[in-house]
């Protein structure tokens, strides 16, 4: 703990996965924004999904670093992270598959869809780690 910052999460497996997801999704978003794409709907959805999930992961990381999960016991943050990663996997994999189909052999768009698929893989790993953490956590004391 460094003052009011809780950096233990960023050093954990989950935190490293979240940071890797954030960087990879920003790379995917930058790849799509740096080119003129032909399919407005496919890449518009891909941009929306990658940017939306980047913002969601950033907010989750900021809340975790500032210790909100330790101060709010009424929210099960392991389940919240599980739901965040599950929804992220569904949307990112859908957007990446649609983007991969509509690449028209443009290398930078292929790279964007590969980054998206890599981010969806990291989401699956994070879902599995969240599931294991949620299953192994001990229930709260009901006498409080």
């Amino acid at each position: 703990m460094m003052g009011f910052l809780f950096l233990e999460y960023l050093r954990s497996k989950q935190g490293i996965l979240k940071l890797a997801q954030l960087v990879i999704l920003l790379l995917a978003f930058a790849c799509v924004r740096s080119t003129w794409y032909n399919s407005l709907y496919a890449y518009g959805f891909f941009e929306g999904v990658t940017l939306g999930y980047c913002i969601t992961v950033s907010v989750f990381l900021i809340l975790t670093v500032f210790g909100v999960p330790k101060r709010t016991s009424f929210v099960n943050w392991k389940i919240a992270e599980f739901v965040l990663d599950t929804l992220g996997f569904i949307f990112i994999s859908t957007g990446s598959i649609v983007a991969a189909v509509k690449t028209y052999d443009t290398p930078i768009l292929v790279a964007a869809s590969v980054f998206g698929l890599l981010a969806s893989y990291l989401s699956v790993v994070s879902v599995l780690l969240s599931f294991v953490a949620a299953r192994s956590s001990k229930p709260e004391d009901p006498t409080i």
Side-chain angles (χ1 to χ4, degrees), residues 15-67:
I16 293 170
L17 277 173
K18 288 279 184 262
L19 289 174
Q21 284 176 354
L22 189 64
V23 169
I24 289 171
L25 286 171
L26 286 174
L27 285 173
F29 180 76
C31 285
V32 172
R33 286 307 289 175
S34 66
T35 185
W36 292 95
Y37 44 87
N38 296 331
S39 180
L40 179 64
Y41 298 112
Y43 287 103
F45 178 72
F46 185 74
E47 284 178 347
V49 166
T50 54
L51 193 60
Y53 194 62
C54 279
I55 291 170
T56 307
V57 168
S58 299
V59 167
F60 185 82
L61 283 174
I62 289 169
L63 290 175
T64 306
V65 166
F66 283 113

Side-chain angles (χ1 to χ4, degrees), residues 93-122:
S93 61
T94 304
S96 298
I97 290 169
V98 169
V101 170
K102 302 285 186 175
T103 58
Y104 303 111
D105 293 330
T106 307
I108 199 157
L109 296 178
V110 172
S113 63
V114 168
F115 282 139
L117 290 172
L118 183 60
S120 66
Y121 171 74
L122 291 177

Side-chain angles (χ1 to χ4, degrees), residues 4-10 18-19 22 54-72 74-77 80-81 84:
F4 60 92
L5 295 179
F6 297 91
L7 300 176
E8 298 90 26
Y9 181 79
L10 294 179
K18 288 279 184 262
L19 289 174
L22 189 64
C54 279
I55 291 170
T56 307
V57 168
S58 299
V59 167
F60 185 82
L61 283 174
I62 289 169
L63 290 175
T64 306
V65 166
F66 283 113
V68 173
K70 295 183 185 222
R71 294 183 192 126
T72 56
F74 56 88
V75 175
N76 189 344
W77 288 93
E81 186 173 10
L84 169 73

